[in-house]
Amino acid sequence: MSDPRDVTILGEPAASDRVADPGHEGKGEIHLVHMYPREMSIYGDLGNTRCLAARIRRHGYVPVVHQHHPGQPLPETIHLMVGGGGQDSGQVTVEADLERRADRLRALAVAGVPMLMICGMYQLFGQSFVTVEGTRVPGLGILDVTTQGNATRMIGPVVLSTDFGDVVGYENHSGATVLGQGQDPFGRVRHGQGNNDADGTEGAVTGHVIGSYLHGPILPANPRLADALIGWAAELATGRAFAPEELDDEVARQAHARQVARLLR
């Protein structure tokens, strides 16, 4: 039976929000949670959820999509989480709810649940975020980063060198983020400004938790990264190795290659 809190993703088949009938789960169900879609999902970040749900299905698994709103409990079963960017006011709005879920979220991160947190949610997964007005918003501390809001924004296309190959996206953030000692970045900037336009780093990664400023959204433009997240989630969900299908990503591959060539020429 479906969870009444599940909602259909715009543009996705209605079945995307329903647990499969017993015996029709394909390779298994993967429960995907989109954190704060109303407050923290601008600059196209909803596309990451739609991309994951579509690729989970194309790989032969069943996506079960949950949207988490302030004041609601988190779903009991979670294999994959995504969060996006928002205004500073949005971050303040979700702060109290995030604090109530902090212990569960930290435990999920330690257990290896893959998480992709973009922009504002990346900042909130760090140690703290100080808005441009001086308001300090404490973070979860899952990533050892601190962020200071600034009047000048960092905007434009980005190319990164990462463990998932070249990653392309679009940054739009006023926060300047600094990595703690020993914190691995998500990538090294080949084009763009990254965490702070000073140290050549972008984002942060700890275990299967990735924080990044790349919008776009990032996953449709970088299928290899999307499949890494799905692979980790599939192994958690089924207890078996990820069994991907061979997908036709030719359009995405050509778009990715042209963007890299255009920005690095």
Side-chain angles (χ1 to χ4, degrees), residues 78-79 104-115 208-209 232 236:
I78 300 175
H79 303 126
R104 175 91 186 278
L105 292 169
R106 293 189 191 104
L108 289 168
V110 170
V113 171
M115 305 178 183
H208 293 168
V209 179
W232 292 328
L236 276 178

Side-chain angles (χ1 to χ4, degrees), residues 115-184:
M115 305 178 183
L116 176 67
M117 297 297 151
I118 301 297
C119 200
M121 286 299 290
Y122 163 39
Q123 295 168 348
L124 291 174
F125 267 52
Q127 302 291 357
S128 65
F129 168 61
V130 180
T131 70
V132 68
E133 294 85 9
T135 301
R136 183 182 184 279
V137 181
L140 296 177
I142 292 174
L143 298 169
D144 186 13
V145 303
T146 56
T147 301
Q148 172 66 56
N150 296 292
T152 302
R153 301 189 71 82
M154 289 175 264
I155 303 173
V158 178
V159 179
L160 305 177
S161 176
T162 79
D163 290 343
F164 312 95
D166 284 339
V167 167
V168 300
Y170 194 90
E171 62 183 336
N172 186 350
H173 56 106
S174 62
T177 296
V178 176
L179 305 180
Q181 188 173 12
Q183 173 65 61
D184 291 326

Side-chain angles (χ1 to χ4, degrees), residues 36 68 71-74 97-105:
Y36 313 122
H68 174 71
Q72 295 180 339
L74 287 167
D97 186 78
L98 202 59
E99 183 176 2
R100 285 193 289 273
R101 319 297 166 204
D103 288 344
R104 175 91 186 278
L105 292 169

